[in-house]
Amino acid sequence: MGGSGCAPAQRGVAASDGEGVTLTPAAPATTVDDVLRDGTVYSVFQPIVELDTGNVVAYEALARGPQGPLERPDRLFAAAREAGRLAELDAACRSAALTGALAAGLAAPLTLFVNVEPEVLDRAPLEDLLDIARAAPGGLRVVLEITERALATRPAELLRTVERVRSVGWGVAVDDVGAEAMSLAFMPLLRPDVVKLDLRLVQERPGPAIAEIMNAVNAHAERTGSVVLAEGIEHEAHLAMARALGATLGQGWFFGRPGPGPVEGAATGSLVLPSQVPDTVSEDVDVSPFACLPIDVPLREAPKALLIELSKQLEREALRLGAASVVAATFQEARHFTPATTLRYRDLVERTGFVCALGEDLPVEPLPGLRGAALDPADPVRGEWDVTVLGPHFAAALLARDLGDGGPDAERRFAYALTYDRDTVVRATAALLARVAPRQEPLPSAPHPHTAAPVRPPTGADRFDVGVLVSATGDTLVQGALAATPSGVSIVDVRLPDQPLVYVNPAFERLAGLPRHELLGRNCRFLQGTDTDPAAVAAIRRAVDAGEECRVTVLNHRGPEGTPWWNELHLAPVTGPDGAITHYIGTQVDVTARVEAERALVQERDRTRSYLARIEELACTDPLTGLPNRRRLAEQVDTAIWNARARDEAVALLFVDLVGFKAVNDRFGHAAGDELLGAVADRLGSRLRRSDLLARLGGDEFLVALTGLPQATAAAEARHIADELAAGVARPVALGDREVVVRASVGVSVWPEDGADFPALLHSADMRMYATRA
């Protein structure tokens, strides 16, 4: 996250008082309001290195809060989020990052990377980014880091921002690529100059998921010249993996930790980015997907029936591509978004990365998760039939324009082109996304999703008398029996479009919470809600497609208010004289009481397990700091040694003893001593990697285990980290209205040289710790 270059407020330091204790008045506790008012957020800068030359070519600005409880960025941003001031904090960090860079001496040929907080883009306009672009210092090039979540939430605004940022000479990077499949889907639309690989790609063992990500990233880099940057490089093995994945830039502790300014004495170079020409397609609302076709593309004519089948084929391609694909479509008018279309696009929403559907009178969210737009009456999209599918290795678009020749709807003719030219598909997709409305949270008064679809009155073909099925037997009691049964009974006609209800008994009306005339002609999916289990729905669809019986318990919703109830559903096919399935009969039983009782038993069992797990956790946790205790760390170190043996790595154990802690206890009391221990625990944890381990041994002693170290350099790296931890501990700690200073003696042992197991390593580190105090 980008931050400012302002230094934290400095406190005065008085003379030493007692063993290692320094006293001085301290500032009051810091809040987010204080930080924003006083401008005390500042930046540290982590180097980005060119792997082939080792030259530092850029720095990423990372936010830090003032000394105190909000120093760590995760706590600072969490506090801002809770206080509703996240947008202000994010803007302050981005703006101040440039000032901090200049104050730290960052200048050409170096480049500065600045992040964007996705949650801010969910709610705030993006003009502040453009203000930063206009004020950017001429001697320092900037790369703006964004995530796929920002595009998925506000695609129109962000596409325009990317274009305008490029127009002032900035670059664009997509961050954490690989963390979510959606980032792969949006890469062609953002055309990033830099693709930043999520750190797990270099730190985890290769597998199918990593292979899929790298196929997509390398294909994009080959097509566009984008630069690939690997994050999380912490040792030689990570560096080798980064090179293997195709990265040419690297970032991580192996090259340097975040600091106040440029790495002293480091060789520098210039970051070469691909030449990007701003694309104006999303800035001109008159540009439509059909207008994106090159002038020399031959057009064909086709009736609506052919376009329907071509569209369905592209939709099937999108389902095959899965979460790494984007689908954009137009439907001219809302009436063309039929119940059958609704079913298909519900599948697309569930199984692809991003889907939008635009048309006259279509709402901005035609289905939960399906994005739309409020189209201008003169928008040329209203006269088009467009379907685009875009993924890492696939691009196709059906782009058609209504010829307006009148006649029956099914016979309307269109001029169209079916293109697989990637540039054209990208432009057409961007033209539609440029119209998509920002995602809005539903209002509290909004109806339940399952009541949102319009009710189509049953036609003559839809109406169905159950007597037709029984007239051949002359059994006049059947209708009375169906009307009297307490179980819901429904019949659907699978021969009609969207398989509507053609009969319901009174019990079904009561279960659905709607009268018969509002039920007939609708597909049963209206009973479902966003919380209905997709697996249960898929089981029903598979059974109907195969013409088989189905038994399933599914969560449904009752009436306009959407009251949930559990439905034990049994579906059975009915065949006609020729043996073909014509109808399905469904019986529904409300088993809510049974399901809730079963869930209550499961919850009670889970609570018991949670209670036992909590007891076990407390037995392995230090109650003061919340850190693991010696017992838990011993288990973790044994596991780390086992993994290190399999990977030819090393494990280091650091014994940390505080010097001067007793004087704090004696002078200020045990409460102050406890507060000091908590502060030291936080400082130690903030300077360790996620894979490292931290525990409190007892009293004023802590243990640190460093995992995954190269055997050849393990001892040197461990000693270096020990020195950094000691330096961090030695910084003043605020206790009430005073500050104290303590020191740390750190002993280091390394597996396998200094011991074969945890007890041996602990003994060796303990002895060396005492040697450092001598």
Side-chain angles (χ1 to χ4, degrees):
M1 187 65 232
S4 79
C6 304
Q10 298 295 315
R11 298 185 178 96
V13 178
S16 176
D17 180 44
E19 182 184 357
V21 182
T22 303
L23 307 176
T24 186
T30 304
T31 66
V32 172
D33 292 337
D34 296 330
V35 171
L36 292 174
R37 183 189 65 245
D38 300 335
T40 50
V41 65
Y42 67 105
S43 281
V44 292
F45 301 92
Q46 186 171 34
I48 295 173
V49 173
E50 190 175 50
L51 298 184
D52 286 343
T53 64
N55 291 340
V56 175
V57 296
Y59 286 86
E60 180 178 0
L62 303 169
R64 296 292 184 267
Q67 184 178 340
L70 298 183
E71 181 176 7
R72 287 172 49 175
D74 56 342
R75 294 181 179 177
L76 177 62
F77 279 86
R81 188 176 293 109
E82 182 177 353
R85 305 196 67 180
L86 184 62
E88 297 173 68
L89 176 63
D90 186 68
C93 288
R94 286 198 306 272
S95 300
L98 298 177
T99 305
L102 293 178
L106 294 179
L110 293 174
T111 299
L112 178 68
F113 281 63
V114 181
N115 290 260
V116 179
E117 171 60 41
E119 288 186 45
V120 173
L121 298 180
D122 289 354
R123 306 187 304 274
L126 305 182
E127 279 300 318
D128 63 320
L129 298 182
L130 306 179
D131 291 338
I132 298 172
R134 299 184 190 104
L140 181 65
R141 183 169 53 175
V142 177
V143 171
L144 186 71
E145 292 191 27
I146 58 179
T147 67
E148 79 287 342
R149 200 171 117 218
L151 180 55
T153 304
R154 304 178 67 89
E157 292 87 344
L158 190 56
L159 284 174
R160 291 189 179 96
T161 298
V162 167
E163 293 164 5
R164 296 178 67 182
V165 162
R166 283 208 171 98
S167 72
V168 297
W170 284 26
V172 173
V174 177
D175 196 14
D176 298 331
V177 170
E180 298 287 345
M182 195 179 294
S183 59
L184 305 180
F186 284 140
M187 275 198 301
L189 295 163
L190 291 175
R191 297 170 292 116
D193 305 285
V194 181
V195 177
K196 298 191 72 175
L197 303 180
D198 186 65
L199 58 84
R200 71 182 181 91
L201 270 68
V202 299
Q203 294 187 354
E204 295 183 3
R205 191 177 299 275
I210 291 179
E212 179 182 4
I213 294 165
M214 291 317 304
N215 269 287
V217 169
N218 281 281
H220 178 76
E222 185 176 53
R223 282 192 298 264
T224 66
S226 294
V227 179
V228 180
L229 188 160
E231 296 185 291
I233 299 176
E234 297 177 356
H235 49 66
E236 289 282 359
H238 291 165
L239 176 60
M241 178 58 72
R243 293 180 185 275
L245 293 174
T248 58
L249 300 178
Q251 184 178 358
W253 283 16
F254 185 74
F255 304 113
R257 303 189 184 191
V263 178
E264 187 174 352
T268 61
S270 178
L271 176 58
V272 179
L273 299 179
S275 176
Q276 296 276 12
V277 178
D279 187 355
T280 60
V281 66
S282 65
E283 293 185 352
D284 187 353
V285 296
D286 293 328
V287 172
S288 67
F290 189 82
C292 294
L293 286 168
I295 193 170
D296 57 347
V297 171
L299 297 179
R300 309 170 189 172
E301 287 191 17
K304 177 179 177 179
L306 177 59
L307 297 189
I308 290 175
E309 296 307 318
L310 293 176
S311 300
K312 289 181 179 179
Q313 177 57 33
L314 289 182
E315 293 165 8
R316 287 191 289 270
E317 290 287 355
L319 291 174
R320 180 182 60 82
L321 295 172
S325 63
V326 170
V327 183
T330 61
F331 287 89
Q332 292 188 284
E333 302 173 20
R335 64 188 178 93
H336 297 141
F337 197 83
T338 64
T341 306
T342 298
L343 186 61
R344 299 201 315 272
Y345 271 73
R346 180 175 294 172
D347 286 341
L348 287 169
V349 167
E350 292 175 356
R351 295 167 56 184
T352 63
F354 182 91
V355 192
C356 67
L358 284 62
E360 183 177 355
D361 295 329
L362 266 178
V364 295
E365 192 171 19
L367 293 172
L370 178 62
R371 307 295 296 281
L375 294 178
D376 186 272
D379 196 318
V381 163
R382 290 173 178 255
E384 294 188 8
W385 181 317
D386 306 308
V387 180
T388 71
V389 177
L390 184 60
H393 311 291
F394 181 86
L398 171 64
L399 307 177
R401 177 166 290 168
D402 195 334
L403 293 176
D405 53 2
D409 184 69
E411 299 177 11
R412 288 190 297 126
R413 301 189 67 80
F414 293 77
Y416 84 97
L418 185 63
T419 179
Y420 299 90
D421 177 71
R422 191 173 189 84
D423 290 339
T424 301
V425 177
V426 169
R427 286 173 57 83
T429 305
L432 291 180
L433 264 63
R435 293 165 162 83
V436 171
R439 175 177 291 154
Q440 301 292 332
E441 293 297 327
L443 296 175
S445 59
H448 193 275
H450 83 279
T451 66
V455 177
R456 178 172 62 87
T459 64
D462 296 331
R463 296 190 181 95
F464 181 82
D465 190 338
V466 71
V468 172
L469 288 183
V470 299
S471 60
T473 67
D475 189 351
T476 58
L477 295 178
V478 173
Q479 293 187 53
L482 290 176
T485 179
S487 299
V489 178
S490 61
I491 301 176
V492 301
D493 191 333
V494 298
R495 300 167 300 179
L496 296 177
D498 206 31
Q499 303 176 352
L501 287 165
V502 292
Y503 170 81
V504 294
N505 73 341
F508 185 90
E509 294 180 70
R510 291 191 294 271
L511 291 174
L514 294 171
R516 183 174 184 270
H517 71 272
E518 292 187 23
L519 296 172
L520 297 183
R522 300 178 70 176
N523 186 284
C524 289
R525 75 175 67 89
F526 77 90
L527 292 170
Q528 302 165 16
T530 56
D531 50 354
T532 300
D533 183 7
V537 176
I540 296 171
R541 292 178 183 173
R542 285 195 301 269
V544 174
D545 290 343
E548 300 172 347
E549 288 192 30
C550 176
R551 293 181 183 273
V552 65
T553 300
V554 62
L555 182 64
N556 285 162
H557 296 82
R558 178 178 294 117
E561 68 280 1
T563 304
W565 62 282
W566 286 96
N567 181 5
E568 188 174 72
L569 173 65
H570 175 219
L571 293 175
V574 177
T575 58
D578 60 355
I581 296 175
T582 61
H583 299 80
Y584 257 87
I585 296 179
T587 58
Q588 294 85 11
V589 178
D590 188 342
V591 293
T592 303
R594 188 191 75 195
V595 171
E596 290 180 348
E598 292 172 349
R599 288 192 161 192
L601 288 174
V602 171
Q603 290 172 355
E604 182 62 29
R605 183 185 63 194
D606 291 343
R607 280 194 293 268
T608 301
R609 290 177 176 173
S610 177
Y611 177 72
L612 295 175
R614 178 59 178 162
I615 292 175
E616 174 64 20
E617 180 184 353
L618 290 174
C620 297
T621 303
D622 172 48
L624 176 61
T625 63
L627 295 175
N629 59 16
R630 172 175 173 165
R631 172 186 168 189
R632 174 57 57 82
L633 186 71
E635 296 172 353
Q636 294 173 328
V637 170
D638 286 341
T639 300
I641 290 175
W642 179 273
N643 292 334
R645 183 181 291 110
R647 300 171 183 173
D648 293 327
E649 294 175 341
V651 176
L653 189 66
L654 280 56
F655 194 119
V656 181
D657 179 68
L658 301 185
V659 179
F661 175 75
K662 182 177 182 301
V664 175
N665 259 349
D666 291 345
R667 183 175 181 85
F668 301 112
H670 291 289
D674 290 348
E675 186 179 352
L676 173 59
L677 290 174
V680 170
D682 284 346
R683 288 191 181 178
L684 293 174
S686 68
R687 285 165 170 77
L688 296 174
R689 304 168 301 174
R690 285 186 293 180
S691 59
D692 294 332
L693 308 172
L694 173 63
R696 183 184 175 208
L697 186 58
D700 57 357
E701 297 173 336
F702 295 84
L703 292 176
V704 173
L706 307 176
T707 64
L709 300 176
Q711 289 191 2
T713 60
E717 288 191 29
R719 188 66 256 174
H720 175 71
I721 294 174
D723 292 341
E724 288 194 348
L725 295 178
V729 170
R731 289 171 44 207
V733 177
L735 297 179
D737 59 352
R738 299 287 183 180
E739 280 191 342
V740 300
V741 173
V742 294
R743 295 184 297 104
S745 295
V746 185
V748 178
S749 62
V750 178
W751 179 90
E753 290 84 355
D754 299 321
D757 53 21
F758 176 76
L761 292 175
L762 179 60
H763 177 74
S764 179
D766 189 12
M767 293 299 99
R768 289 175 179 167
M769 181 275 295
Y770 277 107
T772 64
R773 297 186 63 173

